[in-house]
Amino acid sequence: MKAISRVLIAMVAAIAALFVSTGTSHAGLDNELSLVDGQDRTLTIQQWDTFLNGVFPLDRNRLTREWFHSGRAKYNVSGPGADQFEGTLELGYQIGFPWSLGVGINFSYSTPNILLDDVSLFPVFNPLGSVITPNLFPGVSISADLGNGPGIQEVATFSVDVAGPANGVSVSNAHGTVTGAAGGVLLRPFARLISSAGDSVTTYGEPWNMN
């Protein structure tokens, strides 16, 4: 009995460890990429705490995929003139699907909860510091006629002007849908930093399967 009890305890401990590792697999820093720009500054872009929650579509259409997206994007600039950095921070997806029915692929996205980390919305007076607001950015929608597929589309869901050596943006439960895609839909989230001089660095996350 003691041997059996030890085996059961070991199995429970292994299962508990599995659940713990699954729950934290997308916590913390997910991915990053750096680039040395034309002014010898190092631009680093990162994605943190990315989570895409696929849900059953409200329209009950087999060709619709629906999800909610939460996560953070951060950037850091180091080197000469880092304090004077100005540019744009973008978030978006690469959307992949095996085939469509020849009626076009429709994508829609809305941002109900946005947190701007130390981003100045008012260049002279900004008593709020950070801002949380519903629908700060307008919804994004695209339509692409790709015949019978397969296909890949890249969509920048929103962008914000940033300044200074470090800043970030957080998204909570942003809503997205894809309609017209047959089979599974893969979403690869990305974050992109573009300097005012045109230098660009993009980091891509792991694909998420929206079956």
Side-chain angles (χ1 to χ4, degrees):
M1 286 297 294
K2 289 183 178 180
I4 294 175
S5 298
R6 289 171 183 169
V7 171
L8 290 176
I9 291 172
M11 290 178 63
V12 170
I15 294 173
L18 177 62
F19 278 105
V20 169
S21 64
T22 301
T24 59
S25 60
H26 292 281
L29 176 61
D30 297 319
N31 48 84
E32 64 178 349
L33 192 65
S34 295
L35 168 77
V36 178
D37 68 3
Q39 302 180 38
D40 291 329
R41 300 174 300 189
T42 300
L43 314 181
T44 301
I45 183 69
Q46 301 173 330
Q47 290 191 93
W48 291 72
D49 304 325
T50 304
F51 183 71
L52 275 69
N53 182 26
V55 297
F56 187 80
L58 286 180
D59 63 3
R60 300 184 180 182
N61 187 340
R62 293 183 179 180
L63 302 181
T64 297
R65 300 295 182 270
E66 184 176 2
W67 68 91
F68 293 90
H69 177 193
S70 298
R72 293 182 292 158
K74 295 182 178 181
Y75 80 86
N76 181 272
V77 179
S78 61
D83 292 340
Q84 286 74 48
F85 176 83
E86 294 182 351
T88 302
L89 183 62
E90 291 184 349
L91 273 72
Y93 305 102
Q94 287 183 331
I95 308 167
F97 49 92
W99 61 287
S100 68
L101 297 182
V103 295
I105 297 296
N106 298 301
F107 171 85
S108 65
Y109 184 87
S110 62
T111 56
N113 299 293
I114 297 293
L115 169 63
L116 300 179
D117 297 330
D118 300 324
V119 176
S120 177
L121 298 181
F122 308 96
V124 178
F125 179 65
N126 181 15
L128 298 179
S130 297
V131 178
I132 300 178
T133 175
N135 295 321
L136 176 64
F137 300 98
V140 174
S141 64
I142 66 167
S143 178
D145 185 1
L146 300 174
N148 289 324
I152 298 175
Q153 288 285 313
E154 181 168 294
V155 181
T157 53
F158 65 85
S159 65
V160 59
D161 292 333
V162 293
N167 259 320
V169 60
S170 299
V171 180
S172 176
N173 280 333
H175 179 240
T177 61
V178 171
T179 303
V185 172
L186 289 177
L187 299 175
R188 179 185 288 126
F190 70 81
R192 176 176 295 135
L193 180 65
I194 306 172
S195 73
S196 58
D199 299 288
S200 173
V201 57
T202 306
T203 182
Y204 293 91
E206 293 296 322
W208 291 69
N209 196 343
M210 299 291 112
N211 281 333

